[in-house]
């Protein structure tokens, strides 16, 4: 799903514009410190999605004191999958850069990444992307 969302400023962009090709954690609850730290440690974009009606919420990009992007679903044809997420704020969903749902965690638990993701504090750069699977046939021949 790639619905229109509002960040509280300007023309509503598509969710993919906000995610910008990054691995993201989507939730409908106000992210707690543990979830924000987890996302920061693994280089994940944290997005809180709400379905508040216009004028009743204050969505917007995070300020200096916030570690997430706050968006609101907009438009007449809202995405059913994301509305289900907003109806169950205890869920946390990990979405890969190719927009495939990689993991869902219920009951306010931190998500589990289904690929190795070393933390920034263990000597290597944080990575939130699944490992690359190489084609066993090898690379394509060079064009002449």
């Amino acid at each position: 799903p790639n619905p229109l969302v509002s960040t509280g400023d300007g023309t509503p962009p598509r969710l993919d514009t906000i995610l910008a090709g990054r691995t993201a954690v989507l939730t409908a609850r106000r992210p707690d410190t543990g979830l924000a730290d987890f996302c920061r440690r693994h280089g994940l974009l944290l997005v809180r999605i709400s379905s508040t009606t216009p004028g009743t919420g204050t969505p917007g990009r995070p300020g200096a004191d916030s570690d997430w992007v706050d968006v609101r679903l907009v438009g007449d044809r809202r995405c059913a999958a994301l509305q289900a997420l907003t109806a169950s704020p205890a869920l946390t969903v990990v979405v890969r850069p190719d927009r495939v749902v990689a993991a869902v965690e219920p009951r306010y638990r931190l998500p589990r990444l289904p690929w190795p993701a070393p933390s920034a504090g263990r000597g290597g750069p944080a990575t939130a992307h699944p490992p690359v699977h190489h084609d066993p046939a090898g690379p394509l021949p060079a064009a002449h």
Side-chain angles (χ1 to χ4, degrees), residues 10-79:
T11 304
R14 295 276 176 192
L15 182 59
D16 278 357
T17 302
I18 301 293
L19 301 182
R22 296 177 286 180
T23 301
V25 172
L26 307 179
T27 187
R29 71 178 193 260
R30 180 176 175 83
D32 57 29
T33 303
L35 182 58
D37 288 346
F38 174 85
C39 291
R40 189 178 321 103
R41 187 170 54 251
H42 295 295
L44 303 167
L45 175 65
L46 180 54
V47 179
R48 180 174 69 167
I49 297 179
S50 68
S51 61
T52 58
T53 55
T56 62
T58 7
R61 294 202 177 276
D65 61 339
S66 180
D67 292 321
W68 66 85
V69 177
D70 204 8
V71 300
R72 178 178 46 85
L73 299 174
V74 297
D76 295 335
R77 304 193 77 186
R78 295 180 183 163
C79 169

Side-chain angles (χ1 to χ4, degrees), residues 29 88-92 105-110:
R29 71 178 193 260
S88 183
L91 292 177
T92 304
E105 196 63 51
R107 295 184 294 278
Y108 296 97
R109 284 189 253 165
L110 290 177

Side-chain angles (χ1 to χ4, degrees), residues 117-136:
S119 69
R122 287 193 249 166
T127 178
H129 304 290
V132 175
H133 296 285
H134 297 283
D135 186 346

